[in-house]
Every structure is written in C-alpha cells, then in structure tokens.
Amino acid sequence: MMEEQARIMQALSGVTLAGHSVQGGMGLPPPHGHEGTDGDGRKQDIGDILHQIMTITDQSLDEAQAKKHGLNCHRMKPALFSVLCEIKEKTGLSIRGAQEQDPPDPQLMRLDNMLLAEGVSGPEKGGGSAAAAAAAAAAGGGAENSIEHSDYRAKLTQIRQIYHTELEKYEQACNEFTTHVMNLLREQSRTRPISPKEIERMVGIIHRKFSSIQMQLKQSTCEAVMILRSRFLDARRKRRNFSKQATEILNEYFYSHLSNPYPSEEAKEELAKKCSITVSQVSDQAGSRRVVSNWFGNKRIRYKKNIGKFQEEANLYAAKTAVTATHAVAAAIHNSQANSPTTPNSGSSASFSLPNSGDMFMSMQSLNGASYQGAQVGANVQSQGDTIRHAISQTVGYNDGLRHPMYSPHSLNGNGGWHGAPTPSSVTSPNEGPGSVHSDTSN
DNA sequence: ACTTATGATTTCTG
DNA sequence: CAGAAATCATAAGT
C-alpha cells in the first residue's frame, strides 16, 4: 500500500512540476496565513478546479485532454491529489467492507453440473466418427438404435464444439477487456489515485460481468442439449417394433410359460439380453427390463382378450418349444440313463410349476369354424411340461399318473397365477366373427 | 385412407 | 409397487 502510493506519487512528480513533491504530511493547504483574503482565493481556486474536473466529461476529447493537462500542471494538484488519496482511503474501507464474497451461484453450478454430466464440458470422448464407428461395430447385428445413438452423439459433439468456441471467445474478450481497462486505469492513475484494491475490484467486476454472459451461454447450451435430448427421447418413444428375432424369443418364452407368463426380474433381464433390447439410454438394466415387462403385459392382456387370434401363434411356438424340449429331454435322458427320471427338467429356464396345456388345446378347439387340424397340432400343442412327460413316457416308459397327455379338459385350476386365464370351457366362442371386438377402441 | 398390430404410457387396483 | 386394463400413438399392412 505504501509503496504503491509512493509509486503513484513518483509518477505524478514526473509529470507535474518536479519541485513540488508532496511532503510527508497531508497535503492540506499550508497553515500559514489566516482565513483571510488568501484563504478565500484558495477556496475559489479549489472550487474552480473541482468544477473543471466535474465538467471535464462534458467536453470534447481534445478539449478535455487539454484541460486535463492543464489540471495536471496546476499548482494545486499535488495537494488535491493527496486529499483524494485520503478520501479514497476512507471510503475504500467501506467499499471493501461492503464487498461481499460472491457466493457460488447455485444456478451456475447447476448448469455446470449438467454440462459436465451431459459430456459437453467434460473431456472430449473420441471423435464423432470414431465413436460412431465403434458403436456400430460394437452393436453388430441390431445396430439401428446405435445409429440413432451415434447421431445423437454427433449432434452433441456439434453443440460441444460451439460451446467451447464461444466460451473461448468470451474468455479472450474478457482478457482483452481486462487488460484494456487495466491500461486505462494505469493511465488514469497519473491523474487520480488508484489503489491496487480498486483495480482488483474492477477486474472482479469485469469478470463477474463476463461470467454472467458465460452463464447465458451455458444456459442456452443446456437448453440446446435438453431439446436435443427430448427430441431424441421422443424419437425413441416413437414406437419401434422389435426385431423378428426378439419377438420370437419373447413369444417362445411366453408360450412355453403360458400357464404362468410372469418372468422374474432375472428372467426379464435375460430375455432382454437375448433380444438385445439394449435400448441404450440410462439404466440399460432397468430400462430393458421394463421393456420386457411392457411386452409381457401387453401380451398377456391381449392374449387373454382374444385367445383365438393367438392360436396359430401359440401352436407354432408350442410346437417349436416342444421340439427343442424333446430334444433336450432326449439328450438329458441319454446322459443320465442310470438315474431314475423322477424329475424331468428341461434344459430351458426354470420354473413352470404346473403346465396346463389344457388352455391351448381347449381354446384351440373352441376356435370358430376353422379349427386347426386338431390331432396333429394338438399333439404338438402341448406345452413343455407335458411334452417332456410325454417324451419321457415314450422314451423311458415313465408315466406319472398326472393326466392324459393328450387331452386334459379342465386345466387344474390350481394354478392361481394368470388368474384371468379364461377358462377354456366357458370360452366356447369368445366372440369371434368378422368384426371381432377391437381390443383397442382406438381413438 | 383405412385397419390392424404393437410398443409405450396412464390409470386403476390389490 | 407389480400387474391389469384402458388408452395412446405410431408402424405396418391392405
């Protein structure tokens, strides 16, 4: 502080009359002479100077420059200067006191966090094209959502680039402006006292201003990202039919667990994996499981609503699984011939406690006119459990007295699950006919 | 253009 | 909260 003052003084003395450096004390008017004529003249003089100073801004540049020079050379200048120093010293305290620490703006923090989370402000994650290629390569077969994903990434990269450019621009402008102001202040410091604190404050103000501009940038960037995101989400929300393969897998599971088509979370996950329903997006896990849940929810209700319509499909998948099951069982039996085949477990996933093939068989019969060539399909139509037993009974001669493999009228309704399971018998003709009840009264 | 299929969402329910 | 049921909105088939 002291040396700064000294510096300013020095600079000043270089400009003004060399001899008149201010002597240590306050630069008040010299005490000699009473409040007489001399004093009045001086007062007048000072008032004049002040007036000039105050009006200097109203004048043209040249004029002002000239006036400034004049003032600089004025004999009273050193005195005034030190007075100003005094005043500043005092007011400076209050300013300093009033200067609150800028609180870390929560809004800005929020934006920063979001930008970081969105990968806009974070480190560059591989070039767009490279990333896209990687994504495409990774996905292999069903890469359609990866393509979308890379599209998204590309757009995000674009946003990021703009953001960074703008940010840099602002930064640069801020620096430029700061140096400019600093120079200005330095220049002015010859005329008026400027403490480093003041400069600091000035710089602080400038920075704050610029950061508020930056905040706007960040905000609009955030908005852009949000829009992009939502548009993407919408695009994803748009119905995309699953791949043939996926529906196949799901249907397989559904029909082979017809008596209890409620896959466990575990099973859902597995199914999701199998179907490569990697519907990216956050929570690949929960998300894909939800997708599977949706599918089963829809399937259950729609199946129940109009069994007839699903008959063909049911037969198809039942037959399919039956075949695989038979093979599996055959293999199993082959492997463990010694073991008593008390628990015929199929290789496929776990627990279908009470497979009641009755559903299918019966409802198939109840199909309106065009009954599906009964016997043959009927045999195949049995769901896994029965098929297995059947196969076993044929192969090994194992037969628990469960029920007739071919014809089991009322499924043991013991299986509570799948409650609404339309009792086949009552279904006689679940309103079939031409205008079958639209499941959805759409719109 | 209209209908059907189908994935998702919303609302309701136990 | 999971699942049923209703509903929405779009894809796909005609």
Side-chain angles (χ1 to χ4, degrees):
Chain A
M1 187 40 138
M2 249 357 246
E3 58 264 27
E4 178 64 9
Q5 190 118 337
R7 193 186 61 76
I8 293 171
M9 291 295 147
Q10 212 174 347
L12 196 72
S13 67
V15 175
T16 47
L17 320 170
H20 273 212
S21 64
V22 181
Q23 50 300 55
M26 14 190 91
L28 289 172
H32 71 65
H34 314 87
E35 299 277 2
T37 58
D38 199 29
D40 273 354
R42 210 170 286 252
K43 264 188 200 158
Q44 168 101 35
D45 203 14
I46 290 171
D48 207 33
I49 293 170
L50 287 176
H51 182 256
Q52 284 185 36
I53 291 172
M54 297 306 275
T55 55
I56 203 166
T57 53
D58 295 335
Q59 296 158 353
S60 77
L61 204 60
D62 286 346
E63 248 180 295
Q65 211 66 29
K67 194 78 70 152
K68 193 170 124 194
H69 185 69
L71 283 168
N72 265 343
C73 299
H74 198 279
R75 64 190 168 87
M76 289 303 288
K77 196 220 158 153
L80 273 172
F81 189 90
S82 51
V83 169
L84 282 172
C85 280
E86 287 273 321
I87 294 169
K88 283 216 69 152
E89 198 62 25
K90 293 206 172 112
T91 57
L93 282 174
S94 66
I95 287 171
R96 217 169 300 140
Q99 193 176 22
E100 72 276 34
Q101 290 299 335
D102 51 331
D105 190 347
Q107 172 89 2
L108 198 143
M109 273 178 55
R110 208 169 53 78
L111 291 175
D112 272 337
N113 283 341
M114 182 183 157
L115 288 174
L116 204 64
E118 244 17 89
V120 174
S121 57
E124 176 94 24
K125 285 187 251 168
S129 58
E144 59 205 319
N145 72 27
S146 300
I147 284 166
E148 287 180 37
H149 198 261
S150 71
D151 198 31
Y152 173 77
R153 290 272 289 264
K155 291 233 169 70
L156 195 67
T157 308
Q158 208 175 318
I159 288 176
R160 178 167 48 205
Q161 259 163 12
I162 291 170
Y163 170 76
H164 281 304
T165 332
E166 289 297 294
L167 203 63
E168 207 168 314
K169 225 191 298 179
Y170 285 144
E171 201 95 14
Q172 203 175 325
C174 181
N175 284 339
E176 259 167 42
F177 192 68
T178 304
T179 36
H180 184 71
V181 167
M182 294 258 274
N183 284 340
L184 218 60
L185 284 175
R186 228 189 313 275
E187 160 81 16
Q188 289 207 346
S189 72
R190 284 187 297 176
T191 320
R192 63 193 182 92
I194 294 170
S195 68
K197 268 275 180 340
E198 198 177 357
I199 294 175
E200 205 177 287
R201 208 162 58 82
M202 208 56 170
V203 171
I205 289 169
I206 293 167
H207 280 175
R208 234 164 297 154
K209 274 275 183 278
F210 269 89
S211 72
S212 85
I213 293 173
Q214 278 188 4
M215 194 160 95
Q216 283 181 327
L217 202 215
K218 284 175 182 174
Q219 183 136 26
S220 47
T221 306
C222 273
E223 267 165 39
V225 171
M226 293 291 258
I227 288 168
L228 177 68
R229 221 168 189 288
S230 71
R231 202 141 18 120
F232 226 84
L233 240 47
D234 279 354
R236 191 170 286 125
R237 200 186 308 269
K238 261 191 203 172
R239 237 195 64 247
R240 289 237 79 100
N241 284 349
F242 295 159
S243 68
K244 213 75 171 145
Q245 214 180 344
T247 35
E248 195 126 321
I249 291 164
L250 291 167
N251 271 319
E252 222 164 271
Y253 187 99
F254 181 79
Y255 286 112
S256 63
H257 296 71
L258 229 202
S259 55
N260 188 35
Y262 299 87
S264 64
E265 291 299 295
E266 221 176 16
K268 282 180 198 168
E269 194 144 334
E270 200 186 327
L271 284 167
K273 217 188 299 172
K274 266 204 218 167
C275 301
S276 54
I277 300 175
T278 341
V279 186
S280 54
Q281 198 50 34
V282 281
S283 63
D284 251 76
Q285 303 274 300
S288 52
R289 253 178 302 156
R290 218 162 63 81
V291 170
V292 173
S293 295
N294 283 342
W295 190 91
F296 273 89
N298 283 323
K299 190 73 185 179
R300 277 192 301 263
I301 198 110
R302 282 164 186 163
Y303 176 84
K304 194 166 85 177
K305 231 166 180 163
N306 190 349
I307 291 180
K309 210 161 47 182
F310 289 90
Q311 213 45 60
E312 201 171 357
E313 172 172 285
N315 293 340
L316 199 116
Y317 284 102
K320 193 179 293 196
T321 58
V323 169
T324 57
T326 310
H327 284 164
V329 169
I333 289 167
H334 192 69
N335 280 349
S336 60
Q337 225 156 6
N339 285 346
S340 65
T342 41
T343 358
N345 264 338
S346 80
S348 85
S349 54
S351 58
F352 48 98
S353 44
L354 286 177
N356 58 342
S357 61
D359 298 4
M360 268 185 283
F361 194 57
M362 284 309 286
S363 42
M364 197 197 69
Q365 281 189 326
S366 70
L367 248 181
N368 67 339
S371 72
Y372 286 84
Q373 33 326 38
Q376 205 189 9
V377 181
N380 280 341
V381 90
Q382 326 236 327
S383 69
Q384 237 172 10
D386 285 324
T387 315
I388 291 163
R389 268 185 284 273
H390 195 92
I392 291 169
S393 69
Q394 283 183 331
T395 318
V396 190
Y398 167 69
N399 191 347
D400 57 1
L402 269 181
R403 56 200 142 113
H404 229 266
M406 276 296 286
Y407 189 70
S408 56
H410 287 290
S411 55
L412 352 127
N413 273 347
N415 66 40
W418 191 207
H419 38 90
T423 327
S425 49
S426 72
V427 149
T428 38
S429 67
N431 54 14
E432 264 300 334
S436 70
V437 177
H438 295 227
S439 50
D440 300 12
T441 44
S442 45
N443 293 12

mmCIF file of all heavy atoms in Angstrom, chain A residues 9-46:
data_model
loop_
_atom_site.group_PDB
_atom_site.id
_atom_site.type_symbol
_atom_site.label_atom_id
_atom_site.label_comp_id
_atom_site.label_asym_id
_atom_site.label_seq_id
_atom_site.Cartn_x
_atom_site.Cartn_y
_atom_site.Cartn_z
ATOM 1 N N MET A 9 2.938 8.558 -6.551
ATOM 2 C CA MET A 9 3.490 9.903 -6.297
ATOM 3 C C MET A 9 4.640 10.188 -7.239
ATOM 4 O O MET A 9 4.750 11.238 -7.836
ATOM 5 C CB MET A 9 4.005 10.001 -4.860
ATOM 6 C CG MET A 9 2.907 9.969 -3.843
ATOM 7 S SD MET A 9 1.871 11.407 -3.982
ATOM 8 C CE MET A 9 0.335 10.714 -3.506
ATOM 9 N N GLN A 10 5.421 9.153 -7.327
ATOM 10 C CA GLN A 10 6.609 9.333 -8.162
ATOM 11 C C GLN A 10 6.207 9.616 -9.590
ATOM 12 O O GLN A 10 6.701 10.541 -10.228
ATOM 13 C CB GLN A 10 7.434 8.063 -8.109
ATOM 14 C CG GLN A 10 8.912 8.344 -8.230
ATOM 15 C CD GLN A 10 9.701 7.072 -8.023
ATOM 16 O OE1 GLN A 10 9.142 6.079 -7.568
ATOM 17 N NE2 GLN A 10 10.969 7.094 -8.335
ATOM 18 N N ALA A 11 5.317 8.817 -10.035
ATOM 19 C CA ALA A 11 4.851 9.005 -11.392
ATOM 20 C C ALA A 11 4.299 10.403 -11.557
ATOM 21 O O ALA A 11 4.539 11.082 -12.561
ATOM 22 C CB ALA A 11 3.768 7.983 -11.719
ATOM 23 N N LEU A 12 3.597 10.760 -10.575
ATOM 24 C CA LEU A 12 2.984 12.080 -10.607
ATOM 25 C C LEU A 12 4.038 13.173 -10.690
ATOM 26 O O LEU A 12 3.989 14.050 -11.535
ATOM 27 C CB LEU A 12 2.160 12.243 -9.325
ATOM 28 C CG LEU A 12 1.157 13.372 -9.348
ATOM 29 C CD1 LEU A 12 0.025 12.986 -10.264
ATOM 30 C CD2 LEU A 12 0.670 13.646 -7.946
ATOM 31 N N SER A 13 4.989 13.035 -9.820
ATOM 32 C CA SER A 13 6.008 14.082 -9.767
ATOM 33 C C SER A 13 6.758 14.172 -11.078
ATOM 34 O O SER A 13 7.269 15.207 -11.450
ATOM 35 C CB SER A 13 6.973 13.823 -8.606
ATOM 36 O OG SER A 13 7.715 12.655 -8.884
ATOM 37 N N GLY A 14 6.791 13.076 -11.751
ATOM 38 C CA GLY A 14 7.433 13.119 -13.054
ATOM 39 C C GLY A 14 6.650 13.985 -14.012
ATOM 40 O O GLY A 14 7.217 14.661 -14.866
ATOM 41 N N VAL A 15 5.394 13.968 -13.848
ATOM 42 C CA VAL A 15 4.548 14.699 -14.789
ATOM 43 C C VAL A 15 4.414 16.153 -14.398
ATOM 44 O O VAL A 15 4.484 17.053 -15.225
ATOM 45 C CB VAL A 15 3.147 14.075 -14.860
ATOM 46 C CG1 VAL A 15 2.237 14.899 -15.745
ATOM 47 C CG2 VAL A 15 3.253 12.651 -15.361
ATOM 48 N N THR A 16 4.197 16.342 -13.131
ATOM 49 C CA THR A 16 3.960 17.718 -12.693
ATOM 50 C C THR A 16 5.263 18.442 -12.419
ATOM 51 O O THR A 16 6.341 17.930 -12.711
ATOM 52 C CB THR A 16 3.114 17.752 -11.419
ATOM 53 O OG1 THR A 16 3.653 16.805 -10.512
ATOM 54 C CG2 THR A 16 1.680 17.407 -11.748
ATOM 55 N N LEU A 17 5.079 19.536 -11.861
ATOM 56 C CA LEU A 17 6.254 20.322 -11.560
ATOM 57 C C LEU A 17 7.152 19.534 -10.633
ATOM 58 O O LEU A 17 6.745 19.136 -9.554
ATOM 59 C CB LEU A 17 5.833 21.612 -10.856
ATOM 60 C CG LEU A 17 4.558 22.228 -11.452
ATOM 61 C CD1 LEU A 17 4.078 23.359 -10.556
ATOM 62 C CD2 LEU A 17 4.790 22.701 -12.869
ATOM 63 N N ALA A 18 8.307 19.371 -11.085
ATOM 64 C CA ALA A 18 9.193 18.455 -10.393
ATOM 65 C C ALA A 18 9.402 18.860 -8.938
ATOM 66 O O ALA A 18 9.374 18.040 -8.041
ATOM 67 C CB ALA A 18 10.533 18.407 -11.105
ATOM 68 N N GLY A 19 9.568 20.096 -8.725
ATOM 69 C CA GLY A 19 9.945 20.527 -7.391
ATOM 70 C C GLY A 19 8.909 20.267 -6.328
ATOM 71 O O GLY A 19 9.225 20.005 -5.185
ATOM 72 N N HIS A 20 7.656 20.267 -6.723
ATOM 73 C CA HIS A 20 6.605 20.316 -5.716
ATOM 74 C C HIS A 20 6.139 18.979 -5.195
ATOM 75 O O HIS A 20 4.956 18.751 -5.035
ATOM 76 C CB HIS A 20 5.393 21.051 -6.292
ATOM 77 C CG HIS A 20 5.489 22.511 -6.106
ATOM 78 N ND1 HIS A 20 4.399 23.320 -5.925
ATOM 79 C CD2 HIS A 20 6.561 23.331 -6.055
ATOM 80 C CE1 HIS A 20 4.781 24.569 -5.801
ATOM 81 N NE2 HIS A 20 6.106 24.618 -5.883
ATOM 82 N N SER A 21 7.005 18.129 -4.960
ATOM 83 C CA SER A 21 6.544 16.858 -4.431
ATOM 84 C C SER A 21 5.880 17.082 -3.086
ATOM 85 O O SER A 21 6.231 17.975 -2.341
ATOM 86 C CB SER A 21 7.723 15.885 -4.270
ATOM 87 O OG SER A 21 8.603 16.410 -3.310
ATOM 88 N N VAL A 22 4.919 16.279 -2.833
ATOM 89 C CA VAL A 22 4.166 16.467 -1.608
ATOM 90 C C VAL A 22 5.010 16.026 -0.425
ATOM 91 O O VAL A 22 5.572 14.940 -0.434
ATOM 92 C CB VAL A 22 2.886 15.636 -1.653
ATOM 93 C CG1 VAL A 22 2.075 15.835 -0.391
ATOM 94 C CG2 VAL A 22 2.099 16.023 -2.877
ATOM 95 N N GLN A 23 5.003 16.884 0.559
ATOM 96 C CA GLN A 23 5.792 16.469 1.711
ATOM 97 C C GLN A 23 4.960 15.555 2.597
ATOM 98 O O GLN A 23 3.746 15.632 2.629
ATOM 99 C CB GLN A 23 6.328 17.690 2.474
ATOM 100 C CG GLN A 23 5.416 18.801 2.874
ATOM 101 C CD GLN A 23 4.705 19.525 1.766
ATOM 102 O OE1 GLN A 23 4.024 18.911 0.952
ATOM 103 N NE2 GLN A 23 4.830 20.827 1.738
ATOM 104 N N GLY A 24 5.669 14.731 3.247
ATOM 105 C CA GLY A 24 5.066 13.654 4.039
ATOM 106 C C GLY A 24 3.655 13.855 4.532
ATOM 107 O O GLY A 24 2.775 13.082 4.242
ATOM 108 N N GLY A 25 3.366 14.847 5.228
ATOM 109 C CA GLY A 25 2.062 15.046 5.865
ATOM 110 C C GLY A 25 0.936 15.136 4.890
ATOM 111 O O GLY A 25 1.086 14.873 3.696
ATOM 112 N N MET A 26 -0.183 15.441 5.389
ATOM 113 C CA MET A 26 -1.308 15.618 4.490
ATOM 114 C C MET A 26 -1.115 16.883 3.695
ATOM 115 O O MET A 26 -0.554 17.855 4.159
ATOM 116 C CB MET A 26 -2.607 15.666 5.258
ATOM 117 C CG MET A 26 -2.429 15.860 6.752
ATOM 118 S SD MET A 26 -3.972 15.608 7.561
ATOM 119 C CE MET A 26 -3.859 13.891 7.897
ATOM 120 N N GLY A 27 -1.641 16.787 2.536
ATOM 121 C CA GLY A 27 -1.400 17.923 1.651
ATOM 122 C C GLY A 27 -2.398 19.042 1.830
ATOM 123 O O GLY A 27 -2.813 19.658 0.867
ATOM 124 N N LEU A 28 -2.790 19.252 3.025
ATOM 125 C CA LEU A 28 -3.716 20.355 3.244
ATOM 126 C C LEU A 28 -3.019 21.677 2.943
ATOM 127 O O LEU A 28 -1.798 21.743 2.941
ATOM 128 C CB LEU A 28 -4.193 20.336 4.693
ATOM 129 C CG LEU A 28 -5.141 19.185 5.006
ATOM 130 C CD1 LEU A 28 -5.396 19.139 6.506
ATOM 131 C CD2 LEU A 28 -6.436 19.363 4.232
ATOM 132 N N PRO A 29 -3.843 22.616 2.714
ATOM 133 C CA PRO A 29 -3.246 23.939 2.464
ATOM 134 C C PRO A 29 -2.289 24.295 3.574
ATOM 135 O O PRO A 29 -2.594 24.046 4.740
ATOM 136 C CB PRO A 29 -4.449 24.888 2.478
ATOM 137 C CG PRO A 29 -5.655 24.020 2.304
ATOM 138 C CD PRO A 29 -5.279 22.599 2.543
ATOM 139 N N PRO A 30 -1.202 24.875 3.190
ATOM 140 C CA PRO A 30 -0.198 25.248 4.192
ATOM 141 C C PRO A 30 -0.841 26.112 5.273
ATOM 142 O O PRO A 30 -1.655 26.989 4.970
ATOM 143 C CB PRO A 30 0.825 26.051 3.396
ATOM 144 C CG PRO A 30 0.535 25.774 1.964
ATOM 145 C CD PRO A 30 -0.808 25.155 1.839
ATOM 146 N N PRO A 31 -0.514 25.848 6.473
ATOM 147 C CA PRO A 31 -1.178 26.507 7.587
ATOM 148 C C PRO A 31 -0.849 27.986 7.741
ATOM 149 O O PRO A 31 -1.504 28.662 8.502
ATOM 150 C CB PRO A 31 -0.686 25.706 8.807
ATOM 151 C CG PRO A 31 0.593 25.087 8.368
ATOM 152 C CD PRO A 31 0.512 24.919 6.877
ATOM 153 N N HIS A 32 0.153 28.396 7.038
ATOM 154 C CA HIS A 32 0.457 29.816 7.253
ATOM 155 C C HIS A 32 -0.650 30.680 6.693
ATOM 156 O O HIS A 32 -1.372 30.296 5.774
ATOM 157 C CB HIS A 32 1.802 30.192 6.633
ATOM 158 C CG HIS A 32 1.775 30.208 5.134
ATOM 159 N ND1 HIS A 32 1.017 31.102 4.426
ATOM 160 C CD2 HIS A 32 2.407 29.445 4.209
ATOM 161 C CE1 HIS A 32 1.193 30.888 3.141
ATOM 162 N NE2 HIS A 32 2.031 29.865 2.985
ATOM 163 N N GLY A 33 -0.770 31.825 7.239
ATOM 164 C CA GLY A 33 -1.824 32.741 6.772
ATOM 165 C C GLY A 33 -3.143 32.420 7.393
ATOM 166 O O GLY A 33 -3.493 31.259 7.560
ATOM 167 N N HIS A 34 -3.853 33.373 7.776
ATOM 168 C CA HIS A 34 -5.145 33.161 8.404
ATOM 169 C C HIS A 34 -6.217 33.025 7.386
ATOM 170 O O HIS A 34 -6.003 33.101 6.201
ATOM 171 C CB HIS A 34 -5.456 34.330 9.335
ATOM 172 C CG HIS A 34 -4.316 34.697 10.175
ATOM 173 N ND1 HIS A 34 -3.347 35.581 9.767
ATOM 174 C CD2 HIS A 34 -3.946 34.320 11.412
ATOM 175 C CE1 HIS A 34 -2.436 35.728 10.710
ATOM 176 N NE2 HIS A 34 -2.785 34.952 11.728
ATOM 177 N N GLU A 35 -7.397 32.835 7.899
ATOM 178 C CA GLU A 35 -8.522 32.691 6.992
ATOM 179 C C GLU A 35 -8.866 34.026 6.363
ATOM 180 O O GLU A 35 -9.946 34.549 6.522
ATOM 181 C CB GLU A 35 -9.744 32.195 7.781
ATOM 182 C CG GLU A 35 -9.527 30.861 8.415
ATOM 183 C CD GLU A 35 -9.783 29.764 7.418
ATOM 184 O OE1 GLU A 35 -10.093 30.069 6.240
ATOM 185 O OE2 GLU A 35 -9.666 28.593 7.806
ATOM 186 N N GLY A 36 -7.953 34.528 5.665
ATOM 187 C CA GLY A 36 -8.172 35.859 5.122
ATOM 188 C C GLY A 36 -8.363 35.842 3.634
ATOM 189 O O GLY A 36 -8.909 34.889 3.061
ATOM 190 N N THR A 37 -7.942 36.866 3.048
ATOM 191 C CA THR A 37 -8.074 37.013 1.606
ATOM 192 C C THR A 37 -7.458 35.832 0.890
ATOM 193 O O THR A 37 -8.035 35.261 -0.036
ATOM 194 C CB THR A 37 -7.371 38.299 1.144
ATOM 195 O OG1 THR A 37 -6.013 38.218 1.548
ATOM 196 C CG2 THR A 37 -8.040 39.513 1.732
ATOM 197 N N ASP A 38 -6.299 35.538 1.392
ATOM 198 C CA ASP A 38 -5.590 34.423 0.744
ATOM 199 C C ASP A 38 -6.450 33.145 0.762
ATOM 200 O O ASP A 38 -6.615 32.466 -0.239
ATOM 201 C CB ASP A 38 -4.273 34.198 1.491
ATOM 202 C CG ASP A 38 -3.311 33.424 0.617
ATOM 203 O OD1 ASP A 38 -3.430 33.573 -0.618
ATOM 204 O OD2 ASP A 38 -2.513 32.657 1.156
ATOM 205 N N GLY A 39 -7.014 32.897 1.901
ATOM 206 C CA GLY A 39 -7.843 31.689 2.034
ATOM 207 C C GLY A 39 -9.002 31.690 1.061
ATOM 208 O O GLY A 39 -9.248 30.703 0.378
ATOM 209 N N ASP A 40 -9.631 32.752 0.945
ATOM 210 C CA ASP A 40 -10.771 32.831 0.025
ATOM 211 C C ASP A 40 -10.352 32.545 -1.393
ATOM 212 O O ASP A 40 -10.976 31.756 -2.103
ATOM 213 C CB ASP A 40 -11.381 34.235 0.091
ATOM 214 C CG ASP A 40 -12.412 34.308 1.206
ATOM 215 O OD1 ASP A 40 -12.686 33.242 1.799
ATOM 216 O OD2 ASP A 40 -12.911 35.406 1.451
ATOM 217 N N GLY A 41 -9.295 33.164 -1.745
ATOM 218 C CA GLY A 41 -8.801 32.951 -3.106
ATOM 219 C C GLY A 41 -8.514 31.477 -3.337
ATOM 220 O O GLY A 41 -8.863 30.910 -4.373
ATOM 221 N N ARG A 42 -7.948 30.890 -2.346
ATOM 222 C CA ARG A 42 -7.604 29.474 -2.484
ATOM 223 C C ARG A 42 -8.859 28.615 -2.645
ATOM 224 O O ARG A 42 -8.942 27.734 -3.489
ATOM 225 C CB ARG A 42 -6.853 29.026 -1.235
ATOM 226 C CG ARG A 42 -5.871 27.922 -1.522
ATOM 227 C CD ARG A 42 -5.000 27.722 -0.307
ATOM 228 N NE ARG A 42 -4.041 28.802 -0.177
ATOM 229 C CZ ARG A 42 -2.749 28.646 -0.423
ATOM 230 N NH1 ARG A 42 -2.275 27.500 -0.791
ATOM 231 N NH2 ARG A 42 -1.908 29.640 -0.290
ATOM 232 N N LYS A 43 -9.801 28.918 -1.789
ATOM 233 C CA LYS A 43 -11.066 28.179 -1.872
ATOM 234 C C LYS A 43 -11.666 28.281 -3.256
ATOM 235 O O LYS A 43 -12.059 27.293 -3.885
ATOM 236 C CB LYS A 43 -12.066 28.753 -0.861
ATOM 237 C CG LYS A 43 -12.089 27.977 0.449
ATOM 238 C CD LYS A 43 -13.238 28.493 1.293
ATOM 239 C CE LYS A 43 -13.017 28.135 2.752
ATOM 240 N NZ LYS A 43 -13.792 29.037 3.639
ATOM 241 N N GLN A 44 -11.682 29.505 -3.665
ATOM 242 C CA GLN A 44 -12.204 29.772 -5.009
ATOM 243 C C GLN A 44 -11.457 28.933 -6.023
ATOM 244 O O GLN A 44 -12.027 28.255 -6.884
ATOM 245 C CB GLN A 44 -11.998 31.256 -5.298
ATOM 246 C CG GLN A 44 -12.221 31.657 -6.733
ATOM 247 C CD GLN A 44 -13.575 32.291 -6.901
ATOM 248 O OE1 GLN A 44 -14.056 32.987 -6.009
ATOM 249 N NE2 GLN A 44 -14.199 32.046 -8.024
ATOM 250 N N ASP A 45 -10.175 28.954 -5.831
ATOM 251 C CA ASP A 45 -9.293 28.203 -6.722
ATOM 252 C C ASP A 45 -9.678 26.720 -6.741
ATOM 253 O O ASP A 45 -9.880 26.118 -7.802
ATOM 254 C CB ASP A 45 -7.862 28.366 -6.190
ATOM 255 C CG ASP A 45 -6.875 28.131 -7.311
ATOM 256 O OD1 ASP A 45 -7.333 28.124 -8.476
ATOM 257 O OD2 ASP A 45 -5.690 27.945 -7.031
ATOM 258 N N ILE A 46 -9.808 26.174 -5.583
ATOM 259 C CA ILE A 46 -10.125 24.751 -5.482
ATOM 260 C C ILE A 46 -11.478 24.448 -6.085
ATOM 261 O O ILE A 46 -11.661 23.495 -6.848
ATOM 262 C CB ILE A 46 -10.098 24.305 -4.003
ATOM 263 C CG1 ILE A 46 -8.644 24.331 -3.498
ATOM 264 C CG2 ILE A 46 -10.677 22.896 -3.865
ATOM 265 C CD1 ILE A 46 -8.517 24.116 -2.022
#
